[in-house]
Amino acid sequence: MSGRLLTNGLAPLARRATAQSTRRLAHHCSVRSTGSGLLRNDSLRTSLHRSWPPGSNAIHNVPAVRNISFVRNVPSLFLKLFRIPAMFGGAAVAGLAYIQYQANQAGTYAVDLFRRAGDSASMTANSWFQNLSEAADQTRQGFQKTRDGIEVPEWYQRIMNGEGSSQDGEGGGSNKGPRGNKESSVGGGAAAGGAATAAAFGLTSDSEEDDRKDSTGAKDDQMMLLTKKMIEIRGLLQQVGQSDALTLPSIVVVGSQSSGKSSVLEAIVGHEFLPKGSNMVTRRPIELTLVNTPDAKAEYGEFPAIGLGKITDFAQVQKTLTDLNLAVPEKDCVSDDPIQLRIYSPKVPDLSLIDLPGYIQVSGYDQPTQLKQKITDLCDKYIRAPNIILAISAADVDLANSTSLRASRRVDPRGERTIGVITKMDLVEPEQGSSKLNDKKYPLRLGYVGVVCKVPQSAGFFNRGSGNITNAIVKSENAYFTSHPQFSSDAGVTVGTVNLRKKLMHVLEQTMSASLAGTSDAIHQELAEANYEFKVQYNDRPLSAESYLAESVDAFKHSFKGFTEQFGREEIRKLVKHELDQQVLNLLAQRYWNKPLADISPGILETSLLAGLPKADPEDPIWHHKLEASRSALTKLGIGRLATGVVASSLQAHIDQLISNSTFNAHPFARSAITEASTTILKDLSYDTSDELEICIKPYKYRTEVEDSDWNKGRENVTLVLKDELSTCESAFANLEKDVGGKRKLRDVLAFIDRVRKGEIVLEGDGVGGAGGFSAALLVRGREAVFLRDRAEIIKMRMKAVKSKQCANKKNTSYCPEVFLDAVAERLTSTADLFLDAELLSKFYYLFPRELDAHLGRNLSAADIERFAREDPKIKRHLDVVKRKEMLELVLKETDRLRQLEGRERRIGGVGSRQTSSSSKGSRWSIL
């Protein structure tokens, strides 16, 4: 402790307690230290008389005790000393792990950056080389013309031919002079100019050199252009119709399951995009169209039929294909409804391929027994002429057992349009694989191509990612085929994905060119039929979905305008007054007239009560109370909501009637849009209008003044209302007579019920099961007839009362409640019709045409307009004829242009061959 005090500068504080500390210590030691020990009394006594040095005291003896107890702290000190290296070691391990993680991230980013930079550099170089090649070709052509016009001396020609050197006997071995340099330089320029074609063939700088000649490269470029145009025409023909005559051939890929069919297609495309799985996942034909886009910087796929847009992630393309295939029910397993997929890339050739479900030999326990036959029928549908058959067979399977060759032999017995592809060449011996490619037992005119479309597995720090796999496959194939002399160029076999691409492009272009003439004739015939139908049935009247919609909307607006001129304030008044008249009749029936009979027990007849009303005491409070209660109920009925609802319902009914009488009646989409527009407007206007109208009629809820004119008018109107009600009762009574079985039978039932109600007949029980020889159902009908008969008698009696002199004076309101309530209803109608005309009707007439334009005009897309027009079968047929005619004209135009281009290229090719032969004679000019 003293050591800590001294090190902390606390010595002065220790000096202050010198005397007390010494005495306390001496006393403690004298009492406790009686035996032998570390501190004895004698030594302590001697220490008490010892003189301490200045600035010190007895507390300095304490460290001796601490020194003896230091051994106990050794383990804790050891642990403390061990924690420090452990902490630094852990920090070092964490730092190394973080550095490794960052290195992995940096490596991944660097790989992706290098790949993108390589792609950009390759595209830029291709563009530069193409421009340089064009400039070199133009310069060479110009120089060729100039050279042909120059006359060179004979001695100079001998020198150029090497005659001078031979005579002098010098340089006898210099055969690689300027001519050799010229050949190599021209070959390099042609390769640069055909960079786009080389990329489509799969020839890249890091995979395989493009050793094509100038004429071959130019021919390949032109072949790509012709194939692209033909594929575009084929897409247009698919839109025209499914006629067998209106079609161009495609390459149909067939093969058994696990034969490598999907791997071949993915090697051609350069991405893994086809559905994969242990079970049968390809259940629908996949119409795959590859479009070469030299100027594009990205590869993407599109599904035209479902409109998903551009999909750059081919994993998403694979997922979409899997979902579309698995959508086929398991009980069907396969469907002939094709999936259309287009892939755009600068690295693919222009091809039209169709991938079909693979052949199977045995159906699974969870598959229908007819699955094998279904797949066979589906494949037979597509491998018919003029399509090209790409028969996929695995190298480890004998060609005699090849399912794809067996299927192609059925429809192509001579093998004229079948290309054989032998996959998995690395699984068999090179001699066996070479013999299959040169097979003579199953000959094909287009030959066999051997491929190894296995994607090399990436290993090490760098990953392949989701990039193009064509280069990796081509490298792997080259490494395998070049290591075996059986697959060399001298062996006479065709191997590799690059050669397969070339063969497919050449064969497809030749097959399409061969069928182009027949297709053109079929297009002419189809166009003539379409023109005849268009002229005879539709009188050459052009029609489009947009024009049809515009005409329909204009016609509907015209009919709506006619309706607005016929429906105004007077019609609103009639509607509201009729509704209030019905409410008046309801109040009279509740408070004055008879009620329906619940049973046939004796009771008081309402007719006897109303019969005494004309002679009743004017001061009788009963009639005053009934009249006031009826008036209050009428005015507090919710006139605003009632009148607004009646007018809005009438407007909606008229709109529905206009729709039924218009062309929109055959269009559910348009009918729904118009109804929604009118309903929305009326709903929005009804809320505010009903509240404001309720405020306007609020004074009538407390006091209603009736003028003489109102009384007289109400007297006339209520007479008509009662007469209509009487007609309704009599009509219902006549219907009951028919239901019961005649007047006589109904008269007997009525007589029995009247006698019971008067008490002349006493029923035993409640009469639910029948009474008096009448059934329970007949008694129910009898009660209804009694009610209608009594109601008709009351109405007749009140009609006489209304026409009497007593009801001619408005002061006799208690004696004539019908006239008074009708007069009140008239006052309410006058207020309501004025307000509804200004606030509801005028606003609706203004808003509805504009809302109609929004629902059937500005807010509709082209697809919605097309869908609307095709809802009418007649219009759909008219549009189909017009569209077919326009598409056939476009296809015919493109076909004629393509045939002209093809003929021009043939002529240029012939001239080029003659120029080549002539230039071989004058090759001595190459030094210039």
Side-chain angles (χ1 to χ4, degrees):
M1 183 181 294
S2 62
R4 290 196 298 272
L5 291 174
L6 291 174
T7 56
N8 293 328
L10 300 179
L13 181 62
R15 294 191 195 102
R16 298 175 185 175
T18 300
Q20 295 179 2
S21 300
T22 303
R23 288 193 298 269
R24 191 179 300 112
L25 181 60
H27 176 72
H28 179 73
C29 293
S30 62
V31 175
R32 302 278 306 267
S33 302
T34 58
S36 61
L38 184 62
L39 297 178
R40 295 180 179 273
N41 293 335
D42 296 338
S43 61
L44 181 58
R45 190 178 296 110
T46 303
S47 64
L48 291 175
H49 296 283
R50 185 181 303 165
S51 59
W52 301 101
S56 61
N57 49 45
I59 199 172
H60 290 89
N61 294 327
V62 177
V65 180
R66 294 295 183 181
N67 290 334
I68 294 173
S69 63
F70 178 75
V71 180
R72 295 179 300 175
N73 295 330
V74 171
S76 62
L77 291 176
F78 178 76
L79 292 176
K80 290 181 180 179
L81 293 176
F82 179 74
R83 288 175 184 170
I84 296 175
M87 179 181 65
F88 282 106
V93 172
L96 290 176
Y98 180 74
I99 292 173
Q100 183 181 3
Y101 171 75
Q102 293 296 332
N104 290 335
Q105 295 293 327
T108 304
Y109 175 75
V111 170
D112 186 63
L113 182 63
F114 290 156
R115 180 177 59 79
R116 288 185 293 176
D119 295 341
S120 301
S122 176
M123 293 178 62
T124 305
N126 291 340
S127 178
W128 288 354
F129 287 155
Q130 186 175 1
N131 294 334
L132 291 175
S133 176
E134 292 176 358
D137 291 341
Q138 293 178 0
T139 304
R140 187 174 68 253
Q141 293 175 4
F143 180 76
Q144 180 74 23
K145 294 180 180 179
T146 305
R147 188 188 67 175
D148 294 340
I150 297 177
E151 296 182 1
V152 182
E154 183 178 357
W155 59 271
Y156 187 75
Q157 295 181 8
R158 286 198 301 270
I159 293 176
M160 295 298 103
N161 294 332
E163 298 176 2
S165 60
S166 62
Q167 291 175 0
D168 296 339
E170 299 176 356
S174 60
N175 294 330
K176 299 179 180 181
R179 294 176 62 183
N181 295 335
K182 179 257 180 185
E183 183 178 357
S184 61
S185 63
V186 173
T197 311
F201 283 149
L203 303 176
T204 58
S205 59
D206 56 352
S207 62
E208 184 176 324
E209 297 295 333
D210 186 7
D211 55 354
R212 299 173 299 167
K213 298 181 180 179
D214 294 351
S215 59
T216 305
K219 185 176 180 180
D220 291 341
D221 294 341
Q222 188 61 31
M223 180 190 65
M224 284 189 62
L225 178 60
L226 294 177
T227 306
K228 183 188 291 290
K229 292 294 184 182
M230 289 181 183
I231 291 177
E232 292 177 356
I233 293 175
R234 183 180 182 276
L236 294 175
L237 290 175
Q238 287 180 343
Q239 299 179 16
V240 171
Q242 298 296 330
S243 175
D244 293 337
L246 295 179
T247 184
L248 287 175
S250 297
I251 301 174
V252 181
V253 185
V254 294
S256 61
Q257 289 188 7
S258 304
S259 62
K261 182 164 55 71
S262 299
S263 300
V264 172
L265 291 176
E266 290 177 345
I268 295 174
V269 174
H271 289 277
E272 298 180 10
F273 68 98
L274 290 174
K276 295 180 177 63
S278 58
N279 200 356
M280 182 178 175
V281 290
T282 303
R283 303 179 180 181
R284 298 170 58 184
I286 301 176
E287 295 184 355
L288 177 62
T289 303
L290 305 183
V291 182
N292 182 267
T293 54
D295 300 330
K297 296 182 180 180
E299 302 174 281
Y300 60 91
E302 285 185 349
F303 292 90
I306 56 180
L308 295 179
K310 298 180 180 180
I311 305 176
T312 56
D313 185 6
F314 281 85
Q316 184 64 31
V317 174
Q318 186 180 45
K319 182 180 181 302
T320 304
L321 285 175
T322 303
D323 295 340
L324 292 175
N325 277 283
L326 295 182
V328 179
E330 294 185 359
K331 61 182 182 64
D332 298 333
C333 279
V334 292
S335 171
D336 59 353
D337 185 18
I339 302 173
Q340 296 181 357
L341 172 62
R342 297 178 184 174
I343 295 180
Y344 300 83
S345 171
K347 301 180 181 180
V348 299
D350 290 293
L351 290 175
S352 177
L353 303 164
I354 300 176
D355 183 27
L356 297 175
Y359 289 105
I360 63 172
Q361 300 300 327
V362 181
S363 301
Y365 72 93
D366 57 345
Q367 295 174 339
T369 56
Q370 66 273 18
L371 176 60
K372 178 180 177 181
Q373 187 61 37
K374 283 187 175 181
I375 296 176
T376 303
D377 296 341
L378 178 63
C379 293
D380 290 345
K381 175 183 177 182
Y382 279 91
I383 61 178
R384 292 179 301 181
N387 286 338
I388 305 162
I389 304 173
L390 192 65
I392 309 294
S393 303
D396 55 351
V397 178
D398 192 2
L399 293 182
N401 298 324
S402 175
T403 311
S404 58
L405 290 178
R406 188 186 310 122
S408 66
R409 184 66 62 90
R410 291 197 304 268
V411 296
D412 184 26
R414 301 175 60 181
E416 295 182 348
R417 52 185 182 87
T418 302
I419 302 175
V421 178
I422 309 299
T423 61
K424 306 177 183 180
M425 294 289 293
D426 56 338
L427 298 183
V428 297
E429 296 296 330
E431 294 80 5
Q432 183 180 358
S434 178
S435 64
K436 287 192 175 184
L437 296 179
N438 289 318
D439 190 83
K440 302 301 182 182
K441 293 183 179 180
Y442 309 97
L444 300 176
R445 187 178 67 85
L446 300 177
Y448 291 88
V449 181
V451 295
V452 182
C453 298
K454 180 172 61 177
V455 182
Q457 297 295 329
S458 59
F461 181 77
F462 299 102
N463 294 325
R464 175 172 53 84
S466 60
N468 198 288
I469 63 176
T470 302
N471 296 341
I473 293 176
V474 171
K475 285 183 179 180
S476 177
E477 285 182 329
N478 290 340
Y480 175 75
F481 290 128
T482 56
S483 63
H484 299 91
Q486 292 83 355
F487 305 114
S488 62
S489 58
D490 297 334
V493 296
T494 305
V495 294
T497 305
V498 174
N499 292 322
L500 177 60
R501 281 188 171 194
K502 292 180 182 180
K503 183 180 286 291
L504 293 179
M505 292 180 64
H506 283 284
V507 172
L508 182 62
E509 190 271 338
Q510 293 173 2
T511 308
M512 283 186 170
S513 299
S515 60
L516 194 60
T519 304
S520 178
D521 296 339
I523 293 173
H524 278 92
Q525 183 178 357
E526 292 286 339
L527 182 59
E529 295 177 0
N531 286 327
Y532 178 79
E533 183 179 4
F534 184 66
K535 182 176 182 179
V536 173
Q537 294 189 6
Y538 304 105
N539 197 23
D540 287 338
R541 183 173 68 90
L543 182 66
S544 64
E546 292 78 6
S547 63
Y548 175 69
L549 176 61
E551 293 175 1
S552 301
V553 172
D554 291 342
F556 187 81
K557 285 183 177 179
H558 181 73
S559 60
F560 178 74
K561 183 179 180 181
F563 163 71
T564 59
E565 295 174 353
Q566 299 176 0
F567 192 89
R569 182 182 176 184
E570 186 63 28
E571 284 69 28
I572 293 178
R573 180 182 180 84
K574 293 179 180 179
L575 289 173
V576 176
K577 187 60 172 64
H578 179 268
E579 185 64 25
L580 291 181
D581 288 341
Q582 298 303 314
Q583 297 299 327
V584 169
L585 291 177
N586 292 337
L587 291 174
L588 291 173
Q590 293 174 6
R591 302 182 184 276
Y592 291 92
W593 297 348
N594 64 324
K595 297 176 178 58
L597 299 179
D599 52 32
I600 58 176
S601 60
I604 302 176
L605 302 179
E606 289 83 354
T607 54
S608 60
L609 295 176
L610 283 175
L613 178 59
K615 299 179 180 180
D617 186 3
E619 302 299 331
D620 191 350
I622 295 178
W623 302 109
H624 288 283
H625 176 71
K626 284 188 175 185
L627 183 62
E628 184 60 25
S630 300
R631 185 200 65 80
S632 178
L634 180 61
T635 55
K636 296 178 181 180
L637 189 63
I639 302 300
R641 177 178 51 81
L642 180 65
T644 305
V646 169
V647 176
S649 300
S650 179
L651 288 173
Q652 186 61 53
H654 281 87
I655 294 297
D656 295 339
Q657 185 65 29
L658 292 178
I659 296 175
S660 301
N661 296 333
S662 67
T663 57
F664 290 136
N665 188 40
H667 300 277
F669 169 75
R671 187 168 60 246
S672 175
I674 297 173
T675 303
E676 181 183 357
S678 61
T679 303
T680 302
I681 296 174
L682 292 173
K683 185 182 296 183
D684 295 340
L685 293 176
S686 296
Y687 289 136
D688 297 335
T689 304
S690 61
D691 293 341
E692 294 173 0
L693 179 58
E694 198 68 32
I695 295 174
C696 291
I697 65 171
K698 190 174 182 179
Y700 295 109
K701 297 180 180 179
Y702 305 101
R703 184 181 180 88
T704 305
E705 296 291 340
V706 177
E707 303 294 335
D708 293 337
S709 57
D710 298 333
W711 183 267
N712 295 332
K713 191 173 183 180
R715 187 182 179 190
E716 295 176 0
N717 182 72
V718 78
T719 302
L720 299 177
V721 171
L722 292 176
K723 184 180 295 185
D724 293 339
E725 186 68 12
L726 179 61
S727 300
T728 303
C729 291
E730 292 176 349
S731 176
F733 189 84
N735 293 330
L736 277 177
E737 288 181 347
K738 295 180 181 179
D739 295 339
V740 168
K743 296 181 179 181
R744 182 176 179 179
K745 192 170 185 179
L746 183 60
R747 189 184 308 115
D748 295 339
V749 175
L750 292 178
F752 174 76
I753 294 176
D754 289 338
R755 294 177 63 185
V756 172
R757 294 182 66 197
K758 293 178 181 179
E760 297 178 359
I761 298 177
V762 178
L763 293 179
E764 296 181 359
D766 53 2
V768 175
F774 302 103
S775 64
L778 190 58
L779 291 178
V780 171
R781 292 293 188 178
R783 292 202 305 268
E784 295 177 1
V786 170
F787 166 75
L788 293 174
R789 184 198 60 187
D790 294 345
R791 174 63 61 88
E793 293 178 358
I794 291 175
I795 293 175
K796 292 177 181 179
M797 180 179 60
R798 295 311 302 168
M799 289 176 63
K800 294 180 179 179
V802 168
K803 295 178 181 179
S804 65
K805 295 182 178 179
Q806 189 178 23
C807 290
N809 192 350
K810 70 175 183 177
K811 294 181 179 180
N812 299 325
T813 56
S814 299
Y815 298 107
C816 305
E818 297 87 356
V819 179
F820 177 74
L821 292 177
D822 189 272
V824 173
E826 182 67 25
R827 298 295 298 270
L828 295 175
T829 302
S830 300
T831 305
D833 65 356
L834 180 62
F835 191 85
L836 291 174
D837 179 60
E839 294 296 328
L840 180 63
L841 198 61
S842 299
K843 291 182 179 180
F844 178 76
Y845 288 166
Y846 174 80
L847 294 175
F848 180 70
R850 289 156 180 79
E851 196 71 17
L852 188 65
D853 291 335
H855 280 72
L856 294 178
R858 297 185 300 270
N859 296 337
L860 288 183
S861 62
D864 294 334
I865 296 175
E866 187 73 18
R867 178 164 58 91
F868 155 77
R870 292 184 174 275
E871 289 177 343
D872 190 344
K874 295 181 179 179
I875 301 300
K876 179 179 180 297
R877 178 59 183 167
H878 193 172
L879 290 176
D880 288 340
V881 172
V882 173
K883 183 178 179 180
R884 183 178 179 84
K885 176 177 173 294
E886 293 175 352
M887 291 296 297
L888 287 172
E889 291 175 350
L890 177 61
V891 172
L892 184 61
K893 181 179 179 181
E894 294 294 332
T895 305
D896 293 342
R897 185 182 302 172
L898 183 60
R899 296 182 66 182
Q900 293 175 4
L901 179 63
E902 189 177 11
R904 184 168 65 250
E905 289 303 321
R906 288 201 185 103
R907 292 193 299 271
I908 294 176
V911 173
S913 62
R914 291 194 297 269
Q915 290 180 354
T916 302
S917 62
S918 62
S919 62
S920 63
K921 299 178 181 179
S923 60
R924 63 180 67 94
W925 289 96
S926 61
I927 192 173
L928 298 177

